[in-house]
Amino acid sequence: MNERSLFLREHALFEDRRDAGVALARSLARHRGENVLVLGIPRGGVPVAAEVARALEADLDVVVARKLGAPDSPELAIGAVTANGGRYLNDDIIAELGVPASYVERVTAEQRAEAQRRERRFRGPNAMSEMRGRTVIVVDDGLATGATMRAAVRSVRRRKPARLIAAVPVGAAESCAALRKEVDELVCPHERADFGAVGFYYRNFEPTEDDEVQRILRASYAERRPAAKAAG
């Protein structure tokens, strides 16, 4: 039996991302009716966000955050960046590894361009949702290092929401503490001091594909149009 299987036996909280979204929505129910916009972080955060948006009768959209990998270890995040340039840098890791500023700027530009490409692909012909003056809830499937979430909320903050909330079903306690300084509210029903990995808390943690993200967003955009016509 592998490490994940052993961990799941005692620690699994959710059947899958959809189940996690239903559970997370219960912790956010008080925000129903506040002109809410729910933003999922692709790809895994989008199925979670979809359930939150459904329960809150809110609009759904995405904010794409891309990890900035270390020079010799691409899987090690030295930070993250979004399509509109919202960025988080882990200064401690950058200093420890001696990462040159020129590398940081180059990888930031590359990943910002990739984030822009992905947002265009996911949204298709639809424009980015208005955020100014709204309650905006940024959702992911879990919070490990917090790099992508911190870049995402910095991106959203630039668009002047009335209230900015970060919401995850489960997260590392240390990362949650750091994130609280950047948002008006953090909702994380399950904070863990010895976190491990996000997937350890899901019985089914298969990768979310681009096609699924697009399907979820198309359905959400289609639901908005009749409502907009009725309001007009």
Side-chain angles (χ1 to χ4, degrees):
M1 186 173 290
N2 62 29
E3 182 185 5
R4 184 174 187 275
S5 298
L6 289 169
F7 197 94
L8 283 173
R9 180 175 287 178
E10 295 187 9
H11 298 276
L13 298 170
F14 313 109
E15 187 61 35
D16 53 21
R17 290 180 178 87
R18 205 173 161 187
D19 181 43
V22 171
L24 183 59
R26 289 195 287 268
S27 297
L28 290 159
R30 63 190 176 281
H31 296 292
R32 185 175 178 178
E34 293 183 4
N35 187 24
V36 173
L37 172 64
V38 178
L39 298 176
I41 298 179
R43 291 174 290 197
V46 175
V48 183
E51 295 303 321
V52 172
R54 184 174 293 112
L56 300 186
E57 298 181 353
D59 291 338
L60 175 69
D61 210 322
V62 292
V63 53
V64 178
R66 297 285 298 171
K67 179 174 67 178
L68 306 178
D72 298 319
S73 303
E75 293 305 310
L76 175 62
I78 61 171
V81 68
T82 63
N84 78 342
R87 185 171 73 167
Y88 162 71
L89 297 177
N90 189 322
D91 294 325
D92 290 341
I93 291 181
I94 289 171
E96 181 181 341
L97 297 179
V99 180
S102 58
Y103 173 86
V104 174
E105 294 309 314
R106 177 172 62 80
V107 74
T108 294
E110 292 171 353
Q111 293 305 320
R112 181 187 299 131
E114 177 62 16
Q116 291 168 346
R117 186 191 70 79
R118 285 175 177 254
E119 285 201 353
R120 288 193 298 269
R121 179 178 180 184
F122 291 144
R123 289 201 181 95
N126 301 283
M128 177 181 287
S129 301
E130 179 60 53
M131 300 181 201
R132 184 180 294 271
R134 304 180 73 175
T135 296
V136 178
I137 304 175
V138 185
V139 175
D140 207 351
D141 54 12
L143 194 73
T145 65
T148 53
M149 176 63 84
R150 291 176 76 173
V153 298
R154 290 180 184 186
S155 171
V156 172
R157 184 70 81 184
R158 293 181 173 193
R159 299 185 182 277
K160 309 297 183 184
R163 186 167 181 79
L164 176 55
I165 301 168
V168 291
V170 61
E174 184 177 3
S175 298
C176 288
L179 182 59
R180 281 192 177 91
K181 300 172 185 176
E182 304 217 25
V183 293
D184 300 313
E185 181 182 353
L186 171 66
V187 175
C188 180
H190 300 279
E191 292 189 31
R192 296 289 188 265
D194 53 344
F195 185 71
V198 174
F200 284 173
Y201 299 92
Y202 290 80
R203 289 188 178 86
N204 178 358
F205 199 65
E206 294 300 314
T208 303
E209 301 298 337
D210 284 0
D211 288 348
E212 182 179 357
V213 173
Q214 290 173 295
R215 178 185 59 76
I216 290 170
L217 288 176
R218 279 197 301 267
S220 175
Y221 294 140
E223 288 172 4
R224 286 193 216 179
R225 281 191 283 273
K229 289 178 182 176

